Amino acid sequence: MSDSHPQARPCFQLFDHSTPYTIIRCLKEEDFRSVWLLEIPGRGLTTLKRWPVSWQLRWKSLFKQSQPDRQLSGAWKLLKAGVNTPQPATPVYRVGDFYQLEMPFIEGLTACDLLKSTRPESHNLHYELARELGKIVRRLAEAGLRHRDLKLENVVVKGNSQDADPRSLWLIDPVGIRRSRSVSDSLVCMLDRLAIQPLNEGLTVPLSLQVICIRSTLGGLRGNERRHFFQMLRKSLRKSKRPFPAG
């Protein structure tokens, strides 16, 4: 049963004013920013992202550095690098006191949820997940990019063994995409970001999964460059550790 809200309460104006829609639910709401799940005929499930207009947001928009602008530009950078991410369905547009952006909704479980699963049949999926995450990190670094906000909760695994299509990994929040001149620096930055959430939540990631992910990122790194990478990674991970509350 859907937990849809009545369409008139709340009511949104979309990029195409004549587009009908059904509100499914609010996915996220914080400081008047919100993400809504809509169903649009012909487009299926769509996320509507909304940001309240403020002078700070308008100022940053002049330099294309506002969060809506970075969401849009980050998505196109990921797509150009060959990384799965929802392709923006509209430009960033203003409706009243809000900026809005419409993007397809990717159905699936997050990488964080999958790692928390202890079912025996999930073990092979964990190995596949670690390998594919490493490939994504390497692909971004080789494209001269780094994702400064790469989190397991923003990686969605789409599809399963019952689907006609194979499983694929999708990055759903590209706000943190930046240019990077150093492949090693980029690799270390993103591996560190991936490690922070499990560290802070006290989630134990088996060493075998860590090894698979790191090996998958190395690509063409050889000799001194490889040694420098591991020195940087160890240093970065030590800095990232947080004390966990006593259970």
Side-chain angles (χ1 to χ4, degrees):
M1 179 177 293
S2 172
D3 56 346
S4 304
H5 297 273
Q7 183 166 325
R9 202 172 55 247
C11 184
F12 301 123
Q13 180 178 309
L14 303 185
F15 185 72
D16 183 348
H17 298 180
S18 62
T19 300
Y21 65 88
T22 300
I23 295 177
I24 306 299
R25 65 179 180 274
C26 180
L27 298 174
K28 184 177 181 180
E29 193 165 17
E30 181 181 359
D31 297 331
F32 298 104
R33 294 175 295 173
S34 58
V35 182
W36 294 81
L37 179 61
L38 311 180
E39 186 169 10
I40 299 177
R43 283 172 50 187
L45 294 176
T46 298
T47 54
L48 175 67
K49 300 193 174 190
R50 311 184 83 218
W51 296 266
V53 176
S54 64
W55 71 265
Q56 296 98 327
L57 191 65
R58 295 178 66 182
W59 173 253
K60 289 182 179 180
S61 295
L62 295 175
F63 305 97
K64 300 296 182 182
Q65 291 301 311
S66 69
Q67 192 174 65
D69 288 314
R70 289 187 288 117
Q71 183 89 36
L72 191 64
S73 63
W76 290 118
K77 288 174 184 175
L78 288 179
L79 289 168
K80 187 176 180 180
V83 175
N84 292 327
T85 196
Q87 180 173 325
T90 66
V92 176
Y93 61 98
R94 182 169 176 175
V95 174
D97 294 331
F98 290 88
Y99 285 114
Q100 297 187 163
L101 176 63
E102 299 168 32
M103 305 180 79
F105 177 73
I106 305 301
E107 294 186 82
L109 293 175
T110 69
C112 188
D113 289 335
L114 286 172
L115 281 178
K116 290 177 180 178
S117 174
T118 57
R119 293 179 299 177
E121 62 270 22
S122 67
H123 291 169
N124 288 339
L125 182 54
H126 290 172
Y127 293 130
E128 182 182 346
L129 173 62
R131 189 177 301 109
E132 292 304 312
L133 274 174
K135 289 180 181 179
I136 288 175
V137 168
R138 185 179 72 212
R139 191 173 297 130
L140 288 174
E142 291 176 346
L145 302 171
R146 71 173 68 183
H147 195 334
R148 295 176 58 188
D149 194 30
L150 184 58
K151 297 185 291 189
L152 294 176
E153 64 184 19
N154 288 333
V155 178
V156 173
V157 181
K158 180 182 178 181
N160 55 53
S161 57
Q162 282 74 45
D163 290 341
D165 297 326
R167 285 182 288 261
S168 57
L169 266 59
W170 291 67
L171 304 189
I172 61 171
D173 192 357
V175 169
I177 302 295
R178 296 289 189 274
R179 294 291 181 187
S180 178
R181 294 182 179 181
S182 168
V183 171
S184 295
D185 288 351
S186 183
L187 292 175
V188 170
C189 171
M190 289 186 281
L191 288 173
D192 178 76
R193 295 296 95 188
L194 285 174
I196 282 179
Q197 187 175 6
L199 286 172
N200 288 341
E201 292 186 9
L203 176 62
T204 300
V205 179
L207 180 59
S208 58
L209 295 183
Q210 299 176 43
V211 171
I212 288 173
C213 184
I214 292 172
R215 282 181 174 175
S216 189
T217 69
L218 291 178
L221 292 184
R222 296 291 183 271
N224 290 335
E225 191 176 21
R226 192 183 183 103
R227 284 190 289 273
H228 179 59
F229 161 78
F230 279 111
Q231 290 172 357
M232 292 173 58
L233 182 61
R234 283 192 292 268
K235 183 178 180 180
S236 180
L237 292 177
R238 281 197 298 267
K239 287 183 178 180
S240 297
K241 288 184 178 179
R242 303 285 189 272
F244 303 132

